[in-house]
Amino acid sequence: MIRTALLVAGKDLRIELRSRVLLWQVVPFGVMALLLSGLALGPANAGHSSAGPGLFYLVVLLVALLMINRSQAVESTPGTRSSVATLGLDPAGVFLGKALALATELWLTGLVLLAGAVLFLHTALHGALVALPSIVVTLAALAAAGTLYGALTAGGGGAATLLPVLALPAFAPLLIAGERSFSAALGGGALWEWWVIIAVALAAYLAIGILLYGVLEES
Amino acid sequence: MANDSPLVVQLRDAVVLAGGFPLLSGVTLELHAGSLTVVTGANGAGKTSLLRLLAGLVALSSGSATVAGVDLGTGDPRLLRRRVGWLGHEGSFYDDLTVRENLVFAARALERPTGEIESVVAHVGLAGRIDTPTKQLSAGQRRRLGLGWLLLRRPQLWLLDEPYASLDDEGRGFFDALLGDVVAGGATVVVSAHDPLRSASLRPRTLHLAGGRIVGDAS
């Protein structure tokens, strides 16, 4: 399972590195969304607003949806799907590999967006650094849930529009916990209770994915 | 001579339904190791569905089927998929990966040595394109890469879905020669095509499908 996961993750990351979709399309979109958020708050309010963590996670949600669709699209050409299916890869390994690749992409994008939040939303740098570990875990949980929901909607004609509708209820607790954790880091409050929620969600989505990804692929 | 060889495909009244619509409506068929079979028929006759059933990519709705030693009713379709090779007419690879990267992925997925890749690529005439992204290959070159993918895998059963589409005379000749070698080596090959094979070197069995049934069988 681990061998398959590393193989699939390496393949997905290599495809992303070669296509540069993340670098030239997704990251600029996220940075522009943060910039617009900063402009909407206005220069006088940006530094004092408590909206920074929420806006950060709103933009993370938008870029995550793009990246999940992209992650599934590379598998969805009918010929590719059939010929890769005949490799008989362990579905649990495929799930972990795709989730790992998506998490890596989200971590890299998250770093850029965090810098953007400091720059455009005047989020305190020290608070952002304190929040970094919780952001890493939240993005990993988003990647696991996103890989599951991406597989659920892949192949359908309306995959791009169906994914947000189906995935948002699953993402909402993660986004809320992530935002609360980020806010607590900025305000010097306790972080651990939000960490527990995110860590449990990550473990739950990984377990569900390992158990059910094969069923989703077959369906 | 081929009829003395073991049976690789054994279908009895095989029915495949999709949304209640019969893709195959009672196919009975036996194929031996070391045989070449061409399945012809109009669009929608069931050619691709038959190949997909043999690959374990669609479920058997009724009847019985044993392919490469795996019972399609009770066996593990993933076990079957590792024993068959699929070449679709849509293109069967990751477009952003190079020829070498696609073959390395397939070899590692099947735990095969990657040392054979260069000789396989040379054998299918792509030595000069080994580090070219697959999306930059012509249709004929992609078909050659597909053959390389299958040569590397050495499956028991080769399933080629309209492999002659958009090939020039040289490409068809190359394909015929390679299929002749593969069959002589003991593999079973099933090819779908709109028309009977016009090959000077190959003498395949030709099945004609219409309405999801075999309506003609010529050796």
Side-chain angles (χ1 to χ4, degrees), chain B residues 97-117:
Chain B
L97 297 185
T98 64
V99 169
R100 187 197 303 273
E101 289 164 348
N102 266 301
L103 293 177
V104 166
F105 177 74
R108 288 194 175 145
L110 293 160
E111 297 175 55
R112 292 276 167 82
T114 54
E116 294 175 25
I117 286 174

Side-chain angles (χ1 to χ4, degrees), chain B residues 22-199:
Chain B
L23 301 175
L24 293 179
S25 39
V27 171
T28 297
L29 174 66
E30 289 187 347
L31 300 177
H32 292 264
S35 65
L36 170 62
T37 306
V38 177
V39 182
T40 63
N43 288 336
K47 304 186 297 291
T48 300
S49 298
L50 176 59
L51 265 60
R52 291 178 68 80
L53 175 67
L54 297 181
L57 294 171
V58 291
L60 182 69
S61 301
S62 70
S64 66
T66 303
V67 180
V70 177
D71 186 318
L72 294 190
T74 58
D76 180 1
R78 286 200 178 82
L79 182 63
L80 167 62
R81 288 173 198 164
R82 289 179 83 92
R83 295 177 183 173
V84 306
W86 174 276
L87 176 60
H89 59 274
E90 311 98 333
S92 305
F93 321 99
Y94 295 107
D95 279 350
D96 287 307
L97 297 185
T98 64
V99 169
R100 187 197 303 273
E101 289 164 348
N102 266 301
L103 293 177
V104 166
F105 177 74
R108 288 194 175 145
L110 293 160
E111 297 175 55
R112 292 276 167 82
T114 54
E116 294 175 25
I117 286 174
E118 298 213 354
S119 64
V120 163
V121 168
H123 186 52
V124 297
L126 288 176
R129 309 285 276 169
I130 191 165
D131 291 315
T132 302
T134 306
K135 64 184 172 190
Q136 292 176 13
L137 300 180
S138 68
Q141 289 169 331
R142 291 169 70 89
R143 220 55 59 80
R144 285 171 184 255
L145 171 57
L147 285 176
W149 171 290
L150 295 182
L151 282 172
L152 196 68
R153 295 187 51 186
R154 295 197 204 104
Q156 204 175 335
L157 175 61
W158 292 46
L159 301 168
L160 313 177
D161 191 15
E162 299 188 21
Y164 291 97
S166 64
L167 282 187
D168 57 18
D169 285 345
E170 187 201 342
R172 292 177 75 96
F174 171 79
F175 227 91
D176 286 351
L178 197 139
L179 288 187
D181 291 345
V182 166
V183 171
T188 307
V189 179
V190 183
V191 175
S192 78
H194 279 292
D195 303 304
L197 213 60
R198 298 188 307 274
S199 167

Side-chain angles (χ1 to χ4, degrees), chain A residues 132-210:
Chain A
L132 195 56
S134 77
I135 291 171
V136 168
V137 183
T138 305
L139 296 185
L142 272 178
T147 302
L148 259 178
Y149 280 87
L152 188 66
T153 56
T161 44
L162 191 58
L163 175 66
V165 175
L166 289 181
L168 270 179
F171 288 173
L174 299 173
L175 295 169
I176 292 168
E179 190 274 339
R180 295 314 307 157
S181 179
F182 196 167
S183 294
L186 289 174
L191 291 169
W192 69 268
E193 58 264 47
W194 301 111
W195 270 85
V196 171
I197 292 173
I198 299 166
V200 167
L202 172 60
Y205 280 120
L206 286 177
I208 293 168
I210 287 169

Side-chain angles (χ1 to χ4, degrees), chain A residues 3 7-8 11 14-15 18-19 70 74-75 77-80 82-89 91 214-215 217-218, chain B residues 52 55 57 77-78 81-82 84-86 90-94 96-98 101 105-106 108-111 133 149 153:
Chain A
R3 193 185 61 80
L7 182 69
V8 170
K11 178 263 296 174
R14 193 179 289 274
I15 288 173
R18 180 85 29 79
S19 67
R70 166 79 187 151
V74 298
E75 311 286 348
T77 311
T80 306
S82 299
S83 59
V84 172
T86 60
L87 295 176
L89 290 166
V215 178
E217 273 192 327
E218 292 297 317
Chain B
R52 291 178 68 80
L57 294 171
R78 286 200 178 82
R81 288 173 198 164
R82 289 179 83 92
V84 306
W86 174 276
E90 311 98 333
S92 305
F93 321 99
Y94 295 107
D96 287 307
L97 297 185
T98 64
E101 289 164 348
F105 177 74
R108 288 194 175 145
L110 293 160
E111 297 175 55
W149 171 290
R153 295 187 51 186

